[in-house]
Amino acid sequence: MTRSAPAPRAARGLSSGTRRAALGAALGAAALAAALAACAGPRDTALTPQANGTAPAPNARGAPPAGVAVGGAGEWVTQGKDLALTRFSDLSEITTANVANLKTAWSFSTGVLYGHEGAPLVVGKTMYLVTPYPDIAYALDLTKQGAIKWKYQPNTDPWAVGVACCDVVNRGWAFADGKLIYNLLDNRTIALDTATGQPVWQTKLGDPTSGQTMTMAPLVVKDKVLVGNSGGEMGVRGFLAALDVHTGKLAWRAYATGPDKDVLIGPDFKPFYARDRGTDLGVKSWPADAWRHGAGASWGWISYDPELNLIYYGTSNPSPWNQEQRPGDNKWTATIFARDPDTGAAKWALQTGPHDDHDYDAVNEDVLIDLPMHGPGSTPRKVMTHFDRNGFGYTIDRATGEVLVANMFGPYNWADGFDLATGLPRAVEAKHTHQGVNVTNICPSDIGGKNQNPTAFSPRTGLMYVPVNTGCMDYEGVESSFIAGTPYWGAHVTEHPGADGNWGEFIAWDPVAGRRVWQLKEHTLIWSGALVTAGDVVFYGTTDGYFKAVDARTGKPLWQQKLGSGVSGPPMTYRGPDGKQYVAVLTGVGGAARVSKGSVESFPAGGGTLYVFSL
């Protein structure tokens, strides 16, 4: 698949009159919703993150930190299952011995054909879904095989469709304080009453005419809703913001570029590596004023450690992709941040890709584990795992930002190793990109060795389960001019399968040794993310529409089901009102998962459908 700068917004967007009409309709709907909210009925069981919740039992092979559990037994209340983003469920009815007997229990069509990249949430007897644009929210009654309890359709500004980089996805939603909270593509964060589906508050954080959109899943930490923006290919200025969970009022906003006061870097900022220390590096590491449209968007995942009181997230590529237009490290793009959720103050940062020239964002999830680094049973160390777009699987001290382990998790060639002393990959000179030069066969491609599709960790095996992209690319930088609200891309990229003809692999990874334990080759991309359970079963889906279960210890394939479209959403599991364990996943292929469309036979059409399975 070849990608380059899309057509200018004027050729694809709407007239300003149409946009004003849409905005007026949205405001009218909000006023009506406020009136209806007064008629709210009884709420579903409110289960907010338990800052001091029950900690998992100590485990010889590693465990999530204390206090990250959320929700009740059998529920799935936050996108990553817990605040550590392990996507591990302690449900064990479905095992390696009986998973072959899984059958479809019920299904539900969302009626939307774009890419579905979020996971359903289950609270009590209700399941909550949100579609891609136009961002329709559903509450489904689990006692009636998904009968609709309520539906909310916002008047999301259609202008945002014309500026969204890579499909109009929504990567997830949050449940807290009796509210369903999610981002609209047009840069509003909205909170719905979970009893009625009516808006409680909404906060606008940006203007789509600037090229900014919002696609990430919010995370609620204490009384803060944490959200970030998208638009790394439009020259936006990336940020992470915190909103009051009760009112939606902006508490703080931390930009990814600019002076320290805007990035919320102060005296407590202590990065581990010397290259990340200094004053106003978010300005000095750019050509004059280039930081104002240098990207560093935050469209991935956020995790939280209650003991350290730190949140972790990453920032996107710099703009434009043509690296010769922006000499310098381009801080703080392609960077992992640790921040205080109460104030937003940065505590440490690790720039995984200084002066990125391959579109290797650092937005992928940081999974928090207390891990025995000196063998099973040894004293655990507070680490996080991070599988970067650059193809390296990191194990990082999450208190300091020191890289402890970093090895390639796929067949990649842009670097030939990693220097733990500097915390940086050893780049191969021949694979650097340049303006006017078509550099061929760079691996991984711009979508990365892994993209947004999240990993899972099992404390029973001590292993990470990772969807891996093995595609490569040809890359030529081109000059690009910044005009607000139009593409600021700066490269022609052609993507192709890896040397073995495949686009993907699903692997198990030892985060202590930094090596693969087992792997399964896939002809197509794996865009779904992973789920692992106490039954030692791992679930994942492929873009050609297969939903699969494998043995967590050996990788042995155990079951698969062909679905109606490609799988782009992470699977989840829950205990139903009848006491049975269910596994659910949304189909609806889209987003960057379509890069393999041209070389895969029978690539499925779009189609948003929820599938629920049980024994």
Side-chain angles (χ1 to χ4, degrees), residues 326-353:
R326 44 175 175 76
D329 273 0
N330 311 137
K331 294 186 183 305
W332 298 92
T333 61
T335 296
I336 300 170
F337 271 109
R339 293 186 183 274
D340 182 329
D342 300 311
T343 64
K347 298 300 182 181
W348 59 259
L350 170 66
Q351 191 176 31
T352 57

Side-chain angles (χ1 to χ4, degrees), residues 327-414:
D329 273 0
N330 311 137
K331 294 186 183 305
W332 298 92
T333 61
T335 296
I336 300 170
F337 271 109
R339 293 186 183 274
D340 182 329
D342 300 311
T343 64
K347 298 300 182 181
W348 59 259
L350 170 66
Q351 191 176 31
T352 57
H355 191 67
D356 165 65
D357 64 342
H358 298 103
D359 187 34
Y360 294 159
D361 299 35
V363 299
N364 292 350
E365 74 285 356
D366 303 302
V367 179
L368 313 185
I369 312 169
D370 289 348
L371 196 63
M373 294 297 294
H374 299 290
S378 63
T379 301
R381 186 163 181 175
K382 295 180 180 299
V383 307
M384 63 188 200
T385 61
H386 174 90
F387 291 82
D388 200 87
R389 288 262 286 262
N390 69 15
F392 282 88
Y394 293 78
T395 300
I396 300 170
D397 186 313
R398 66 176 186 269
T400 66
E402 178 186 8
V403 178
L404 306 175
V405 178
N407 288 316
M408 281 190 172
F409 55 84
Y412 310 131
N413 62 15
W414 80 276

Side-chain angles (χ1 to χ4, degrees), residues 44-285:
D44 207 339
T45 304
L47 293 171
T48 55
Q50 302 166 4
N52 297 304
T54 303
N59 191 294
R61 300 184 183 277
V68 299
V70 291
E75 293 185 319
W76 192 284
V77 176
T78 190
Q79 287 292 315
K81 183 60 174 75
D82 50 42
L83 299 176
L85 305 184
T86 64
R87 297 180 187 270
F88 170 79
S89 169
D90 60 2
L91 296 181
S92 59
E93 177 187 343
I94 299 170
T95 69
T96 55
N98 62 25
V99 68
N101 298 321
L102 275 187
K103 299 288 189 299
T104 304
W106 55 277
S107 61
F108 175 83
S109 173
T110 69
V112 178
L113 299 181
Y114 298 116
H116 287 58
E117 294 189 353
L121 300 184
V122 167
V123 183
K125 300 176 182 178
T126 305
M127 175 180 285
Y128 299 94
L129 303 178
V130 178
T131 73
Y133 174 86
D135 306 309
I136 304 168
Y138 290 98
L140 306 181
D141 187 342
L142 295 179
T143 68
K144 300 176 181 177
Q145 291 194 313
I148 297 174
K149 295 177 72 172
W150 55 255
K151 170 185 176 181
Y152 176 75
Q153 181 161 350
N155 288 318
T156 307
D157 189 342
W159 186 279
V161 175
V163 297
C165 157
C166 313
D167 204 353
V168 292
V169 302
N170 186 309
R171 297 193 175 85
W173 35 100
F175 184 100
D177 193 39
K179 303 177 183 70
L180 183 70
I181 302 170
Y182 66 100
N183 294 314
L184 307 183
L185 191 68
D186 63 10
N187 304 300
R188 284 179 288 164
T189 301
I190 190 168
L192 306 180
D193 186 309
T194 53
T196 66
Q198 296 305 313
V200 178
W201 55 257
Q202 58 179 307
T203 300
K204 191 171 181 61
L205 290 164
D207 185 346
T209 64
S210 70
Q212 180 176 302
T213 53
M214 293 179 73
T215 59
M216 73 171 298
L219 182 74
V220 179
V221 171
K222 296 187 276 190
D223 62 347
K224 300 290 194 304
V225 181
L226 302 167
V227 294
N229 63 348
S230 303
E233 282 64 49
M234 303 294 287
V236 305
R237 190 181 178 199
F239 68 78
L240 188 78
L243 310 177
D244 185 291
V245 72
H246 306 297
T247 65
K249 182 180 178 181
L250 180 66
W252 53 260
R253 181 177 343 218
Y255 287 97
T257 64
D260 286 355
K261 65 180 179 57
D262 291 359
V263 187
L264 302 188
I265 286 177
D268 293 335
F269 182 60
K270 302 185 186 306
F272 187 82
Y273 298 98
R275 58 186 167 80
D276 293 326
R277 301 170 193 154
T279 303
D280 291 333
L281 298 182
V283 173
K284 296 175 180 175
S285 62

